[in-house]
Structures are given as C-alpha cells and as structure tokens.
C-alpha cells in the first residue's frame, strides 16, 4: 500500500429540509387547520481515529465529502428525517489543519476519538408552527438552513515511541528489521527507504514500544535537498531519538554533525529530545577501528556512544534497554535505577 501522509479534502454538511405547508382536510372534521411538519436536520461531518490504518491513501482518490440533506416535512405533522452523516476514518495521529496548512483544528491522537467537523443545517419549520389566534391558517413555511463547507488538510504524524535518525545507509532499516517483525526494504544504495516504517519491539510481555524508521537525511535537507525534512514530523511525538552513525565511513563526527544540524533547522523540538547515539555496523570493524571511531564520535556528541550491529545483534539489547528507559520516563513510569543490571539476551538480540 502506498504511503501518503498529507491530503487536502473538501467537506460539506447537509442542508436542512424545508418545512411543509399543509392543511388537515378530512371528512366530518370541519375545523382541520394547518398540519405541516418540520424539515429534518442536515447531516453532520465527523472524523474518527481508528486503529489499523497507517496512511491517508484513501483520500488520494476521493477529495469531496458531502453529508446528506435533511428530508422535507409533510402533512399530518410528519417531520422529515435527518440527513445521513459522513464519517472520515483516519489513522491515529492525524491532524486536521485549516486551508492555510498551518492552523491546527484537531489532533486525532487517541484510538476511537471522534470529533464533529461541521454541523448540518437546521430543518425549516412547517406552517403548523405559525398558527395562532390571529393567523389561524398560515400559508408559509421556512426553508431549511444551509449547511457548512470548507477545505481542510489532513496531516498524519505516526505515533511512535522512538524515532530512528541517521544518514542514508546508516543501517536504520537493517536495525528495524533486526529488532521487530517489520520488513522494510534493505539495499546497498542510498534512499532505499522512501517512506517511514513502523516496527513494534517486544522486550518482554510487559515491555513493548514502537520504533519509526525515518528516511535518511542529507546535508541541506532543511532546504529541500534529497527527500527534505517532510517525514521528520512523524517523530515529533516520540519520546527519544536513536541516532545511528555508520561506523564504516571515514568521518563519523561529521556525519553526526550533519544530522544534528538538520534536526535543529527543522525545529518542532526535535533537537531538544533525548538522543541515544549509537555507532552502527561494528561487525565490519576491527577492535582498533572500533575504539578510534567511538572516540571520535564521543568527542562530537559529548558522551560515549553505544556500539551496535544490526546484522550480528551485538550491543542491540543494551540499546533497546536504553530506549525503553526513555519511553518509560515519557510515559510517567518509574525509570530503572542506574545500578540496575539489565537482563542480557544470550547470543545477541532476536525479535
């Protein structure tokens, strides 16, 4: 299924039904009088966040959504039925923006959340509503009220606890495939990942969190180079970032600085998130090269990086434990003590 995280759509609520002009005319009832019923209310436009969706592709092929018009009133004081509602089903994490694409109207950040976008027009009164001692036979009724309409933007921000950041070919997709059941495309050329991927990490039955693999950034991404920073919005809600640096490249410090610069240029608080720095692909390095690259990366980021390999599983458990501690802290749970020894997984990490 194609990934789509932005869509512009037109929505319109239903018009109210018109009131009826009617008089009771029955045999043996000389004083019938007016009996026109009211029109029905127009349909509303609703939006609902549902689980099981991770793309807005449904709104790629249909951009206009109109609720039903209320039914007109009828004689014998019969009121019209309400118009049919329209319910837009969107993935959890979808934001509703005004036509300017900046003003956030709603944030559908919880499963099952339902909000009304537009209200339908009221139904018109029938002539029975206007009878009185002076005007006992009114011959007019109100038309239904017009519905509302507007253009809106839907923007999806995936709900992930941890975001993966790094240059192209830093090994993010390989790492995601190693720690979860996700199967992203993996190849030896840049920009293999063209859309975000989600993976669920199960450390134990009670320790579970979601990782988002974001397409790689390059220098100048904030100015539109490469794939730009469009997909960084999917990690704005994350508790922390795992910054993977390819240990097989020459300048690991420079690679770290490029990503940090793009995160700061993007804004939205990404640069202020807790960051777990990891030197990846250590299975391809000698012990001397590992130490040299780790020292260079530590000088750039100010703390000792974790050494991991998504291929062999070395160091992956420690990295996931550190990520889980950040997720618990963000969720308001008690973080593990510093002297608490994490449980080791024999033979490296396996999903």
């Amino acid at each position: 299924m194609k990934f789509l995280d932005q869509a512009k759509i037109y929505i319109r609520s239903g018009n109210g039904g018109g009131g009826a002009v009617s008089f009771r005319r029955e045999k043996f009832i000389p004083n019938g009088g007016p009996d026109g019923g009211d029109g029905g209310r127009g349909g509303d436009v609703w939006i609902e966040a549902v689980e099981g969706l991770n793309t807005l592709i449904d709104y790629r092929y249909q951009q206009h959504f109109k609720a039903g018009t209320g039914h007109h009133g009828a004689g014998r004081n019969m009121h019209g039925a309400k118009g049919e509602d329209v319910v837009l089903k969107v993935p959890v994490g979808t934001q509703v923006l005004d036509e300017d694409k900046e003003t956030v109207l709603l944030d559908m950040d919880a499963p099952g959340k339902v909000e009304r976008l537009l209200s339908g027009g009221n139904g018109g009164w029938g002539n029975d509503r206007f009878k009185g001692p002076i005007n006992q036979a009114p011959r007019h009724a109100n038309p239904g009220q017009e519905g509302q309409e507007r253009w809106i933007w839907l923007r999806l921000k995936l709900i992930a606890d941890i975001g993966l950041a790094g240059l192209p070919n830093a090994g993010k997709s390989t790492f995601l495939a190693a720690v979860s059941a996700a199967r992203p495309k993996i190849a030896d050329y840049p920009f293999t990942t063209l859309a975000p991927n989600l993976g669920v990490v199960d450390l134990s039955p009670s320790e579970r969190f979601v990782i988002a693999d974001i397409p790689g950034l390059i220098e100048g991404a904030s100015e539109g180079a490469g794939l730009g920073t469009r997909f960084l919005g999917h990690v704005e809600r994350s508790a922390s970032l795992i910054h993977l640096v390819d240990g097989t490249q020459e300048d690991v410090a420079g690679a770290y600085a490029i990503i940090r610069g793009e995160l700061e240029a993007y804004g939205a608080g990404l640069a202020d998130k807790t960051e777990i720095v990891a030197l990846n692909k250590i299975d391809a390095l000698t012990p001397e090269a590992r130490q040299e690259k780790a020292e260079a990366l530590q000088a750039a980021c100010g703390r000792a990086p974790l050494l991991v390999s998504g291929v062999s599983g070395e160091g992956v458990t420690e990295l996931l434990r550190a990520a889980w501690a950040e997720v618990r802290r963000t969720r308001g749970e008690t973080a593990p003590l510093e002297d608490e020894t994490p449980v080791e997984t024999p033979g490296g990490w396996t999903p």
Side-chain angles (χ1 to χ4, degrees):
M1 179 183 293
K2 184 178 179 182
F3 181 82
L4 186 70
D5 61 353
Q6 293 185 36
K8 185 179 182 180
I9 62 174
Y10 169 84
I11 55 176
R12 193 185 196 287
S13 60
N15 297 334
V21 176
S22 175
F23 293 90
R24 185 177 183 184
R25 295 183 177 91
E26 297 181 49
K27 192 175 182 180
F28 305 121
I29 302 179
N31 301 321
D35 65 350
D38 300 339
R41 182 182 177 84
D44 301 329
V45 180
W46 300 81
I47 186 169
E48 179 183 3
V50 298
E51 295 183 295
L53 296 178
N54 57 7
T55 176
L56 296 173
I57 191 63
D58 292 339
Y59 302 97
R60 170 71 170 80
Y61 305 104
Q62 181 181 357
Q63 293 88 30
H64 293 76
F65 298 87
K66 300 178 182 180
T69 300
H71 291 228
H72 299 312
R76 298 189 178 181
N77 287 317
M78 290 190 292
H79 300 326
K82 184 181 184 297
E84 186 176 357
D85 292 343
V86 167
V87 181
L88 308 178
K89 296 185 180 296
V90 297
V92 179
T94 300
Q95 290 182 328
V96 181
L97 285 72
D98 203 354
E99 192 174 0
D100 60 9
K101 210 176 179 180
E102 295 181 358
T103 306
V104 178
L105 304 176
L106 291 172
D107 193 354
M108 310 301 291
D109 56 355
K113 186 175 183 180
V114 179
E115 297 286 349
R116 182 162 54 189
L117 295 174
L118 296 179
S119 298
N122 291 325
W125 282 359
N127 67 337
D128 182 62
R129 295 270 194 171
F130 298 99
K131 67 182 179 182
I134 298 177
N135 186 5
Q136 298 182 8
R139 296 185 177 276
H140 68 276
N142 286 346
Q145 190 179 41
E146 290 285 330
Q148 302 171 322
E149 60 181 354
R150 72 185 309 172
W151 285 90
I152 59 172
W153 280 90
L154 300 179
R155 180 174 65 189
L156 174 61
K157 291 184 178 180
L158 295 175
I159 304 295
D161 299 304
I162 299 294
L164 288 178
L167 289 172
N169 277 21
K172 300 186 297 299
S173 297
T174 301
F175 178 81
L176 182 67
V179 302
S180 71
R183 291 295 174 261
K185 183 179 179 180
I186 300 173
D188 59 354
Y189 54 84
F191 298 113
T192 307
T193 303
L194 299 177
N197 293 302
L198 291 180
V200 179
V201 177
D202 284 310
L203 290 174
S204 71
S206 60
E207 298 173 315
R208 170 179 291 185
F209 59 95
V210 179
I211 290 184
D213 172 21
I214 303 300
L217 301 174
I218 63 174
E219 189 171 7
S222 59
E223 300 174 358
L227 296 177
T229 57
R230 169 181 172 182
F231 295 119
L232 282 181
H234 296 289
V235 294
E236 289 182 17
R237 308 175 192 265
S238 62
S240 179
L241 298 177
I242 294 179
H243 188 162
L244 292 181
V245 179
D246 185 358
T248 62
Q249 60 185 359
E250 293 295 329
D251 187 8
V252 293
Y256 173 82
I258 289 175
I259 297 299
R260 290 301 304 176
E262 297 304 325
L263 294 178
E264 293 173 0
Y266 178 81
L270 289 188
D272 300 326
K273 289 186 180 294
T274 305
E275 182 184 51
I276 304 172
V277 182
L279 185 67
N280 196 20
K281 302 183 182 181
I282 60 173
D283 58 293
L285 301 177
T286 63
E288 296 76 12
R290 289 187 184 186
Q291 182 176 359
E292 178 185 350
K293 296 293 180 64
E295 291 176 352
L297 187 54
Q298 180 176 356
C301 65
R303 56 190 177 280
L306 297 176
L307 305 182
V308 301
S309 170
V311 174
S312 66
E314 182 179 355
V316 172
T317 301
E318 292 79 4
L319 178 56
L320 294 179
R321 285 289 171 187
W324 173 242
E326 290 300 325
V327 172
R328 293 187 64 190
R329 180 184 61 81
T330 303
R331 293 177 180 176
E333 302 175 3
T334 304
L337 299 176
E338 294 182 0
D339 57 352
E340 185 177 332
T341 304
V343 179
E344 295 293 337
T345 304
W349 166 259
T350 55

